[in-house]
Structure formats: structure tokens, C-alpha cells
Amino acid sequence: MTHNDVDVLTWTLKGAAGEPLENDQQLLNRRIAYDGGALLFQDYGVISVEPEQPGDKDVVLSCAVHGDETAPIEIVRDIIHAILRGEIKPVQRTLFLIANPAAISIGKRFVDMNMNRLFSGAHANGDTPEHHRAANLEHYVSSFYANAPVGERRRFHYDLHTAIRDSQYEKFAVYPFTHGAPYKKEQFTFLAECGVETLLLNQAPTTTFSYYSARTHGADAFTVELGKVRPFGENDRSKFAAAERMFTALICERELCLPTFDPVRTKVYDVYRTINRTVENFTLHFPDDVANFTAFAKGELLATDGDTEYRVSQDGERIIFPNAKVALGQRALLTVVELPVEGLQLV
């Protein structure tokens, strides 16, 4: 097997399913050199890049925490293939993660459990393959950061997703709870260059992958929503070109040349309410095709959870991530309100 023969996604899916390719052992745990470094195929869907003279960044790019979100999978796959073909040459340590191969194989969001509710130790509360995979992913991220060269370094994690439904803002990112730390202008600008000009600020700890890296490892970490869920082959890759270009630049340039921070470029929303499904009789009172960030008028009924009604309590309150079919106890809906960027604590 030559490095040009490697189909990273096929290798990942077959191996994770216990059906490794005939020449699979030539790749698993193997280092493949590129001009300036090497890729290590540590596990199925776990590929790290170790430059010979690494820069000061340690970058995690993850996809497929939800298996039907295909555009991020295509982006990660194609960046890895470009390295193997010698088309790009990373100078920053990078860990690529194809998180949930089993869910990709069946074209579903997940097999047993929503993996993005299983990080920061939540995987210890169950025994499904997704619980075990989340624990392993945490281990790989921890090892990656721990094995970085000695010295002052900068940690990043971009967990790439696409949303179940359309959005008033096609691309947006979730900024994990900072526990009082200021927000970073550089990250606002980087994401805007990716085409992500809307940020949602989380105001509480969560069990998402990005929050895990932010809280446990001090990384600049984000859940990045790049568009809408579509099957393989149906993504308009031109819509993701800016993001792919910037993630490639992040790992291939020693220092990114970003424009000056401009607060006008980014809309910022704050989580106003979290509505959980606590009983079987949970209903959302708006059509399934209502887009993320749709605004509702004060007093409108959003959801009922058994006998409990949730109504809009202020004009301009918007909905995001509605899903009436989540497991009991999980979030079925967020409402958000816009904040002025100038009022944030920024560095």
C-alpha cells in the first residue's frame, strides 16, 4: 500500500466495524512520512500529524460526533488526503478525529446515544459503544496535548458539525462557557474568515466535546456548525471553501495573517433559556421546517412538556437546536437573545 492508495474514510469505517481491509495492518499504527513530518494512524478515525519542526500550535480537528453530518467528514478526509499526496505540508501538530464511525456507517446521527452529551466524564454513566468511544476520544485528546514539545504553546479544538435544520445564519459556532475568562478577538476574526459570522455564547458547563477541550485542557475550542445535514455527495463544497481554506492555513502556516478585529462582522447571541424534555408527552408548537435563530413574538407558545407550557417571555427571543425526540432529561430547545459585541469582555 502506498500513501496515495489510502482512503482514510473507508479504512476508518471498515476497521471500526471489525472488517479491516486486507492490507489494513500496513496502516494501523504506521507512520507515513510527508515532506516535513509524518502522519501516525493511531486508531480507526484517529490520525495525528507530527511535523519535524513543529510550530507553537496544537490543533484538534474533529468531525462525525454525529454520524450523518457528512460535510465536515468530507473536509477532514480531504485535508488528510491532501497531506498524503504532498499537496499541503502541515507545520503545526494536528490531531484529526473521525469520532463516530459506527453512526457514519448507518447514516444516522448516532447509534445508541448522542455522543455530544457524553464528554467531560459523562461517558462513565453508561455502557454503550458511544460511551466507550467518547472516553477513548478524551484519552486521545489528552495524550495529544500532553505529548506536545516543552515550551509556550497554544491549543485549539474545532469540532465540526452541520445542523439538522436550516438556519437564519447558515454558519454559526458555539463558544463554550469560559467560567469568567474573556472572549478572544482573534477567534472571532478567525471564525469570520471561515464564513462563521454568528456566535452563540454558552453560559454553563456542558458535556459537549468542545467544552471538554476548553475546560480540561485550556484550548480555544468551538462547536462549529457549517450548514445543514446532507447525505454524502450532496454537499455543495463551494459553501465550505472558506472554512476548509482557513483550517488548512491554521495547520500549514507558522503564523496566520488575520485582518484586524472588526466587531461589526460578528453577531453574538446569548443563551436565554434551556428547555428540557422531561416526559414522553413533549411537543414543540412550531413546524419542523422552522429555521434555527427564528424569532418569535412575546407570549407565543414554544413547547409543552406534559402540563408545563413554555412561552416567549421577551420580544426577539429566538429558537435554536429544537428537537422534540431527544431522550428524557435532555435539551429539546434553546432560546437565545442578541448581545452587542461591544459589551463583551474581549482580549
Side-chain angles (χ1 to χ4, degrees), residues 133-346:
R133 180 68 168 177
N136 288 337
L137 292 172
E138 285 189 359
H139 167 74
Y140 285 122
V141 171
S142 296
S143 297
F144 174 71
Y145 287 138
N147 291 329
V150 175
E152 187 172 339
R153 304 194 59 77
R154 303 168 66 192
R155 295 174 173 178
F156 301 89
H157 181 183
Y158 301 96
D159 185 33
L160 308 183
H161 290 254
T162 49
I164 295 172
R165 61 180 62 215
D166 289 321
S167 178
Q168 297 282 345
Y169 310 112
E170 183 180 52
K171 297 177 177 64
F172 61 96
V174 181
Y175 207 132
F177 184 43
T178 65
H179 294 265
Y183 301 102
K184 295 187 178 180
K185 296 177 183 178
E186 180 187 62
Q187 290 302 298
F188 278 51
T189 302
F190 175 78
L191 289 166
E193 290 292 292
C194 290
V196 179
E197 297 187 333
T198 302
L199 288 180
L200 173 62
L201 309 182
N202 246 335
Q203 299 296 351
T206 64
T207 52
T208 63
F209 203 4
S210 60
Y211 176 76
Y212 163 75
S213 291
R215 184 59 174 166
T216 304
H217 298 293
D220 289 323
F222 299 85
T223 302
V224 183
E225 301 281 355
L226 292 172
K228 187 177 178 180
V229 169
R230 301 189 191 283
F232 282 113
E234 296 185 16
N235 296 299
D236 180 353
R237 292 293 294 275
S238 67
K239 293 184 176 181
F240 308 101
E244 190 166 354
R245 181 177 66 251
M246 290 307 297
F247 291 130
T248 300
L250 178 66
I251 68 175
C252 291
E253 296 179 12
R254 294 200 174 271
E255 200 61 48
L256 279 179
C257 295
L258 294 173
T260 302
F261 169 69
D262 181 356
V264 175
R265 292 187 70 179
T266 305
K267 286 184 174 291
V268 174
Y269 287 88
D270 191 16
V271 173
Y272 181 68
R273 276 192 297 179
T274 300
I275 297 172
N276 293 328
R277 180 190 184 195
T278 66
V279 297
E280 291 290 343
N281 185 21
F282 181 93
T283 305
L284 294 173
H285 292 275
F286 48 83
D288 289 341
D289 60 356
V290 169
N292 282 321
F293 291 101
T294 295
F296 287 79
K298 186 175 180 178
E300 284 193 70
L301 180 64
L302 294 176
T304 51
D305 186 43
D307 295 331
T308 303
E309 290 189 344
Y310 293 96
R311 294 182 178 272
V312 175
S313 61
Q314 63 172 289
D315 286 328
E317 199 172 342
R318 297 170 182 258
I319 59 100
I320 192 170
F321 299 138
N323 186 352
K325 297 179 181 179
V326 297
L328 296 184
Q330 290 192 359
R331 181 197 72 207
L333 177 67
L334 289 178
T335 70
V336 300
V337 293
E338 189 169 3
L339 294 179
V341 177
E342 295 83 353
L344 300 176
Q345 185 184 4
L346 297 167

